[in-house]
């Protein structure tokens, strides 16, 4: 098995890990009313599953993160050359960075480092506020997040994500609707988080900012339950992608050979 094939295998594991994190987020809301983001779900699984589970999750997240960054750099998912394709690749880069950060958190948990459990979005807003024009930067981040949320909603309506699945599975109602409600719920959460950033930037108060955890905690009954069901669908769809998504190999072997030749 070459390096590209190993990365593809780890990417499938990464899809499964991402799905599991969203299943945990939905489970915690539905069972206890507790709002968490993917980092909080990772801590929850680490507390209950131990070192082995954290190691498996870290490996999957690393593979998934590298694959997303490879897509951004080399267009391995064959996005169009229009504005939408550019946005897809920018989103892939952001997703890659986020999931590599989650992998780093999993490794730190394996090493016994205590997690602060703070809101990274709020911390980032606080850092931005200390810069010249920080309020504008935070508002720009909010607009981007709202835009990402809208794109997720568009995905839910158009269901173009089904094009990446094996055709036989893509025709199944359970695959279609788990993805639709999942992307719709995720899009709404991103839009709420973007609103928090816009408010924080406009008022120049970093404590107004917040990510998924704050957005889910802000929702009241029955909307928190509705969104939780949607995120449950996204978690299920992640597991479907882990098994049935058609993946193009990242050109890792060529990169390694070129690096060796230069040395």
């Amino acid at each position: 098995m070459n390096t590209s094939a190993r990365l593809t295998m780890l990417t499938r594991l990464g899809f499964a890990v991402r799905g599991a994190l969203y299943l945990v987020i939905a489970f915690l809301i539905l069972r206890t009313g507790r709002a968490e983001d993917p980092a909080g779900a990772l801590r929850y699984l680490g507390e209950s599953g131990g070192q082995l589970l954290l190691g498996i999750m870290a490996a999957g997240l690393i593979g998934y993160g590298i694959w997303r960054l490879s897509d951004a750099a080399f267009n391995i998912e064959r996005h169009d050359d229009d504005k939408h394709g550019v946005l897809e690749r920018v989103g892939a880069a952001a997703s890659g960075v986020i999931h590599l950060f989650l992998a780093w958190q999993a490794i730190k948990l394996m090493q016994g480092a205590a997690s602060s459990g703070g809101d990274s979005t709020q911390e980032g807003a606080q850092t931005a506020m200390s810069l010249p024009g920080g309020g504008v930067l935070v508002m720009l981040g909010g607009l981007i997040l709202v835009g990402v949320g809208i794109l997720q909603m568009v995905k839910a309506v158009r269901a173009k994500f089904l094009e990446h699945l094996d055709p036989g599975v893509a025709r199944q109602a359970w695959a279609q609707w788990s993805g639709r409600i999942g992307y719709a719920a995720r899009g709404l959460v991103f839009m709420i988080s973007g609103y928090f950033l816009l408010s924080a930037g406009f008022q120049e108060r970093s404590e107004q900012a917040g990510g998924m955890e704050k957005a889910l905690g802000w929702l009241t009954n029955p909307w928190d339950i509705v969104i939780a069901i949607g995120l449950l669908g996204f978690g299920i769809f992640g597991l479907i992608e882990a098994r049935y998504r058609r993946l193009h190999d990242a050109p890792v072997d060529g990169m390694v050979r070129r690096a060796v030749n230069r040395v």
Side-chain angles (χ1 to χ4, degrees), residues 154-165:
V154 171
K155 277 188 176 183
V157 174
R158 295 183 177 177
K160 292 192 71 174
F161 50 82
L162 295 171
E163 297 174 359
H164 297 294
L165 299 180

Side-chain angles (χ1 to χ4, degrees), residues 168-180:
V169 175
R171 289 191 291 268
Q172 301 299 318
W174 46 269
Q176 295 173 10
W177 286 103
S178 63
R180 283 182 184 274

Side-chain angles (χ1 to χ4, degrees), residues 67-202:
W67 182 78
R68 282 296 191 193
L69 291 175
S70 298
D71 184 29
F74 305 108
N75 196 21
I76 59 176
E77 288 293 278
R78 301 167 189 172
H79 304 290
D80 295 331
D81 293 328
D82 56 11
K83 291 181 180 179
H84 181 73
V86 172
L87 288 174
E88 289 282 351
R89 293 176 70 176
V90 170
S95 178
V97 171
I98 289 169
H99 286 87
L100 287 176
F101 178 71
L102 284 173
W104 176 79
Q105 287 184 309
I107 292 170
K108 295 295 286 184
L109 288 170
M110 289 175 64
Q111 295 173 341
S115 175
S116 63
D119 191 317
S120 59
T121 303
Q122 192 173 102
E123 293 169 359
Q126 186 175 7
T127 301
M129 291 288 188
S130 66
L131 302 173
V136 175
L137 290 174
V138 172
M139 292 177 69
L140 179 60
L143 287 174
I144 292 172
L145 204 52
V146 169
V148 171
I150 292 172
L151 287 176
Q152 296 280 299
M153 300 291 280
V154 171
K155 277 188 176 183
V157 174
R158 295 183 177 177
K160 292 192 71 174
F161 50 82
L162 295 171
E163 297 174 359
H164 297 294
L165 299 180
D166 289 342
V169 175
R171 289 191 291 268
Q172 301 299 318
W174 46 269
Q176 295 173 10
W177 286 103
S178 63
R180 283 182 184 274
I181 66 173
Y183 276 106
R186 200 163 175 250
L188 184 57
V189 170
F190 285 159
M191 291 169 70
I192 295 172
S193 299
Y195 166 75
F196 288 152
L197 277 178
L198 285 169
S199 178
F202 182 75

